[in-house]
């Protein structure tokens, strides 16, 4: 069975199809899930030095229709090793990490496929150190192939950990504002939450409403694995546009959108403007830098030139690192261990990790920080909008993807990037970014696009991704034309 399970590896997660049958190459069968769960128990035993039967593991899931079947298979695999199981049922992904600290337990498993379609599902594993890294997932999948299955009675207790997690978020808001919960510190604020029928509805009913906020503008709060409106994703223009219209029509002070498992978020300002991507990074950076001047903010590679100016103008330093939320988080951890003050790592997708919150990417924690600031500003007659009034935004943004038609695609993609870098060194009007961690980022003068473009390998797929940004109308078209002309020489791209 050598190597058959590696197809389920998706970065630092296990992902596949949850609804379907064995005819689908990526179908996550009961047997596969049970083996992977038993392998996680073995991994956890090695990591903690405990016997497997001494371990306690919490499990939870988002509202996908395959959750019941996959939960049963996870229980079967953990029971095979004699692990004690705490069933947290419907949960957000960040809450399942917090369960490791709160309950306590040795590890946890969250069943989710994040923003992917409803027929997908997956497994995320946590220990006290946070989510697993890519080599850990590879190790677990390799180990899973050799596990013999059987049926062993499971020891399971139930726990509504989401109530404890919601109480934690309420306490953060109260502490940040300087008020008691009984004072209803969010009274007078109207907040729209769009959970997209994922796991995020609790934020309206269990966090905001008990603190006095008017959450009546909210929508799609009821968990529903059919995702009848749209699959929740803060990067989806359909979801963002719908939320923006809702904020404007209800005259809400603030809007929040979550992805399915609530590890990502986007926001809407009171005037209906989107607060995502560069704007979201700028907003939370400004909030952080008020109290930590000189701090380093780590982002992914596709953030704008205007964002760098913004962070520097607010007294911070911007490190534009690699795409992939785990990459930016690991860079943040590395910097702090080296003695560098780096309180925030954030990806334009809406993943944001705070040092003060165990380096955990948590969409609910992110918006909690913004709501605290919004409440304080409301008291003094200010607004969140003013916080990013000096953010220089591009006139145009564009993304294009080019598939590499090769099984061994990475060397080919690396050669394309290297060749483009060599061309940039000779071409007038193009200047390669001096400090760059991913792909090749090229700044262009006014006659060559008036902005920048980045050609990089996709984090997981055989795809070259081209991101472009211009300060002038028509600039992205000029850069796209020049790059696609260059790419014509590579016959394995389409």
């Amino acid at each position: 069975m050598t190597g058959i399970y590696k197809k389920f590896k998706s970065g630092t997660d296990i992902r596949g199809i949850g609804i379907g049958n064995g005819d689908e190459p990526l179908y996550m069968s009961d047997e596969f899930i049970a083996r992977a769960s038993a392998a996680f128990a073995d991994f956890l035993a090695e990591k903690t030095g405990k016997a497997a039967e001494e371990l306690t593991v919490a499990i939870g899931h988002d509202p996908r229709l395959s959750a019941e079947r996959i939960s049963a298979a996870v229980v079967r695999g953990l029971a095979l090793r004699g692990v004690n199981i705490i069933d947290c049922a419907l949960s957000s992904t960040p809450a399942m990490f917090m369960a490791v600290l709160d309950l306590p337990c040795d590890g946890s498993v969250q069943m989710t496929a994040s923003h992917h379609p409803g027929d997908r599902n997956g497994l995320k594993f946590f220990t006290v150190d946070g989510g697993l890294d890519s080599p850990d997932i590879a190790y677990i999948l390799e180990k899973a192939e050799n596990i013999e299955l059987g049926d062993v009675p499971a020891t399971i207790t139930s726990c509504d950990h989401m109530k404890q997690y919601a109480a934690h978020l309420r306490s953060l808001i109260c502490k940040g504002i300087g008020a008691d919960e009984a004072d209803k510190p969010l009274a007078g604020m109207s907040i729209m939450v769009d959970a997209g029928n994922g796991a995020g509805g609790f934020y309206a009913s269990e966090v905001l409403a008990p603190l006095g906020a008017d959450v009546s503008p909210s929508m799609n709060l009821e968990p529903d694995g059919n995702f009848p409106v749209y699959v929740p994703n803060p990067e989806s223009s359909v979801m963002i546009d719908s939320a923006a219209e809702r904020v404007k029509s209800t005259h809400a002070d603030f809007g929040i959108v979550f992805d399915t498992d609530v590890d990502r978020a986007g926001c809407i300002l009171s005037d209906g403007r989107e607060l995502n991507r560069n704007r979201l990074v700028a907003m939370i950076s400004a909030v952080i830098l008020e109290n930590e001047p000189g701090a380093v903010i780590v982002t992914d590679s596709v953030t704008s030139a205007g964002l760098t100016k913004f962070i520097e103008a607010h007294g911070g330093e911007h490190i534009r690192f690699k795409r992939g939320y785990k990459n930016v988080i690991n860079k943040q951890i590395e910097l702090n261990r080296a003695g560098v003050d780096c309180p925030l790592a954030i990806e334009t997708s809406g993943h944001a990790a705070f040092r003060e919150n165990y380096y955990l990417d948590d969409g609910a924690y992110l918006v909690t920080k913004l709501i605290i600031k919004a409440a304080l500003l409301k008291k003094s007659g200010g607004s969140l909008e003013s916080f990013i009034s000096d953010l220089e935004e591009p006139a145009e943004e564009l993304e294009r993807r080019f598939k590499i038609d090769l099984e061994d695609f990475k060397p080919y993609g690396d050669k394309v990037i290297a060749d483009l870098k060599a061309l940039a060194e000779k071409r007038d009007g193009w200047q390669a970014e001096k400090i760059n961690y991913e792909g090749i980022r090229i700044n262009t003068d006014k006659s060559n696009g008036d902005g920048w473009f980045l050609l990089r390998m996709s984090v997981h797929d055989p795809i070259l991704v081209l991101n472009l940004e211009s300060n002038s109308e028509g600039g992205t078209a000029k850069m796209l034309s020049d790059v696609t002309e260059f790419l014509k020489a590579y016959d394995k791209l389409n």
Side-chain angles (χ1 to χ4, degrees):
M1 291 201 302
T2 304
I4 65 169
Y5 285 167
K6 67 181 181 181
K7 63 187 176 182
F8 293 105
K9 183 179 181 295
S10 178
T12 56
D13 298 348
I14 289 171
R15 292 238 177 105
I17 295 173
I19 296 176
N21 55 56
D23 295 333
E24 295 278 0
L26 281 176
Y27 178 67
M28 299 174 65
S29 68
D30 293 352
E31 291 74 19
F32 163 67
I33 296 162
R35 286 192 176 103
S37 301
F40 173 61
D42 292 342
F43 169 86
L44 203 54
E46 293 169 10
K47 183 177 178 65
T48 61
K50 293 183 178 181
E53 59 269 20
E54 298 176 307
L55 296 172
T56 299
V57 172
I59 65 172
H61 58 79
D62 72 17
R64 292 169 191 275
L65 299 179
S66 57
E68 184 176 350
R69 177 186 73 84
I70 290 178
S71 291
V74 169
V75 166
R76 182 189 182 196
L78 294 175
L80 193 65
R81 295 298 192 252
V83 172
N84 300 294
I85 301 164
I86 302 175
D87 186 1
C88 298
L90 182 69
S91 300
S92 72
T93 292
M96 287 312 299
F97 166 69
M98 293 300 293
V100 180
L101 306 180
D102 293 340
L103 294 181
C105 50
D106 301 286
S108 64
V109 184
Q110 169 74 345
M111 288 150 263
T112 182
S114 186
H115 61 281
H116 291 279
D119 65 337
R120 304 304 201 263
N121 214 325
L123 306 176
K124 287 183 75 77
F125 301 113
F126 293 100
T127 71
V128 292
D129 297 323
L132 302 193
D133 278 314
S134 180
D136 301 324
I137 299 299
Y139 177 74
I140 286 170
L141 288 173
E142 182 180 358
K143 181 178 272 291
E145 293 187 16
N146 301 311
I147 287 176
E148 294 186 11
L149 290 177
D151 290 302
V152 177
T155 304
I156 307 176
T157 56
S158 297
C159 175
D160 187 359
H161 177 252
M162 286 300 292
K163 285 196 177 298
Q164 186 174 351
Y165 174 69
H168 166 64
L169 294 175
R170 292 198 306 271
S171 70
L172 289 173
I173 293 173
C174 291
K175 182 179 179 182
I177 296 174
D180 293 328
E181 189 168 327
D183 297 332
K184 305 293 182 186
L186 298 183
M189 290 190 72
S190 175
I191 302 175
M192 192 288 300
V193 177
D194 183 358
N197 302 110
F202 81 97
Y203 197 80
S205 60
E206 300 294 327
V207 179
L208 299 178
L211 298 181
D214 173 15
V215 297
S216 61
S218 298
M219 59 183 182
N220 307 320
L221 299 182
E222 194 64 31
D224 184 344
N226 290 297
F227 302 126
V229 185
Y230 32 65
V231 178
N233 179 3
E235 289 189 288
S236 163
S237 59
V238 175
M239 186 179 197
I240 285 288
D241 290 349
S242 176
E245 183 56 38
R246 183 74 167 187
V247 167
K248 288 189 290 185
S249 66
T250 60
H251 306 289
D253 296 308
F254 194 57
I256 299 164
V257 298
F258 291 122
D259 71 342
T260 313
D261 63 328
V262 204
D263 62 359
R264 292 192 296 136
C267 303
I268 307 294
L269 296 170
S270 60
D271 59 6
R273 277 190 298 159
E274 303 168 16
L275 190 61
N276 61 358
R277 298 182 63 80
N278 288 293
R279 288 178 185 169
L280 180 61
V281 178
M283 180 72 78
I284 191 60
S285 296
V287 170
I288 292 294
L289 290 168
E290 271 194 320
N291 298 316
E292 296 198 52
V296 172
I297 308 296
V298 176
T299 73
D300 59 346
S301 60
V302 299
T303 48
S304 70
L307 178 67
T308 300
K309 292 181 182 178
F310 179 90
I311 289 173
E312 291 173 351
H314 283 254
E317 179 185 343
H318 181 201
I319 292 181
R320 191 188 294 115
F321 197 54
K322 299 177 181 179
R323 188 77 166 155
Y325 75 93
K326 195 64 174 173
N327 287 328
V328 297
I329 292 172
N330 285 344
K331 185 64 174 177
Q332 177 192 28
I333 293 170
E334 173 195 318
L335 289 168
N336 279 292
R337 285 178 176 168
V340 176
D341 179 18
C342 182
L344 173 67
I346 180 167
E347 198 184 30
T348 47
S349 65
H351 284 285
F354 296 82
R355 179 182 56 207
E356 66 189 29
N357 191 43
Y358 310 100
Y359 300 106
L360 173 67
D361 54 314
D362 184 345
Y365 193 93
L366 168 64
V367 299
T368 293
K369 299 285 285 188
L370 293 176
I371 285 170
I372 291 168
K373 190 62 186 176
L376 293 172
L377 287 168
K378 191 175 179 71
K379 283 183 179 181
S380 61
S383 69
L384 279 177
E385 286 85 341
S386 64
F387 247 55
I388 55 171
S389 59
D390 57 334
L391 175 64
E392 294 179 17
E393 301 197 63
E396 297 178 336
E397 294 177 274
L398 193 64
E399 182 177 285
R400 289 288 184 269
R401 291 172 172 252
F402 304 90
K403 186 178 180 183
I404 304 173
D405 289 327
L406 284 171
E407 185 171 342
D408 188 17
F409 59 86
K410 192 172 184 308
Y412 192 85
D414 289 342
K415 182 181 187 317
V416 175
I417 291 169
D419 290 351
L420 182 59
K421 183 177 181 180
L423 175 63
E425 291 172 354
K426 298 182 292 185
R427 178 166 175 156
D428 291 338
W430 284 12
Q431 173 101 35
E433 188 76 37
K434 291 180 180 178
I435 301 176
N436 190 62
Y437 294 95
E438 182 174 46
I440 175 68
R441 183 173 173 128
I442 296 171
N443 300 308
T444 62
D445 65 15
K446 287 187 179 295
S447 61
N448 285 276
D450 193 20
W452 60 266
F453 62 86
L454 170 71
L455 187 68
R456 60 184 175 88
M457 286 294 303
S458 168
V459 176
H460 305 305
D461 302 314
I463 290 171
L464 278 169
V465 184
L466 178 66
N467 295 95
L468 312 101
E469 185 178 288
S470 176
N471 299 313
S472 303
E473 187 176 341
T476 55
K478 166 62 177 165
M479 290 185 285
L480 179 61
S481 175
D482 289 342
V483 177
T484 50
E485 183 64 30
F486 161 79
L487 293 177
K488 285 180 181 177
Y490 300 89
D491 60 357
K492 299 302 181 184
L493 296 180
N494 65 53

